Amino acid sequence: MKIIAIKDFSASGVNYIAGDEIKTDNFEAIVKLNEKGLIEPLGYKDLVLIKRELEKKEENKDGSKI
C-alpha cells in the first residue's frame, strides 16, 4: 500500500513534498503522520493492512516464515 504525502513536511531528516511516496517500515511513524494529517487519510482497515504487511516483511527478513 502506498503512503502519499498531502503536505510538505520533514520527518526523520527526510524532506517530503506533497505527492511524494513515504517509504518507511516504522508503523508508529505512519500512525503519527496519519494523526497529524500529513499523509492521505488512512482508516482503521488501512492501518491494520499496513501493519500486517510490515510484520510479514519482518518475518521474511528473519527467514522464520514465508
Side-chain angles (χ1 to χ4, degrees):
M1 171 173 269
K2 289 187 177 183
I3 302 165
I4 307 296
I6 58 173
K7 295 181 180 179
D8 300 342
F9 67 94
S10 177
S12 301
V14 179
N15 298 317
Y16 297 98
I17 298 172
D20 284 351
E21 181 177 354
I22 312 299
K23 297 192 182 225
T24 182
D25 290 338
N26 185 331
F27 181 72
E28 290 78 23
I30 295 168
V31 171
K32 285 185 180 186
L33 293 173
N34 191 48
E35 288 173 351
K36 292 181 179 183
L38 298 173
I39 59 176
E40 290 182 353
L42 299 171
Y44 176 76
K45 182 178 179 181
D46 296 323
L47 291 170
V48 169
L49 292 173
I50 290 170
K51 187 170 186 177
R52 286 180 185 171
E53 184 177 314
L54 293 175
E55 288 172 349
K56 185 178 253 187
K57 280 184 184 178
E58 189 63 33
E59 289 175 356
N60 288 338
K61 282 183 186 176
D62 295 342
S64 57
K65 293 185 181 179
I66 295 179

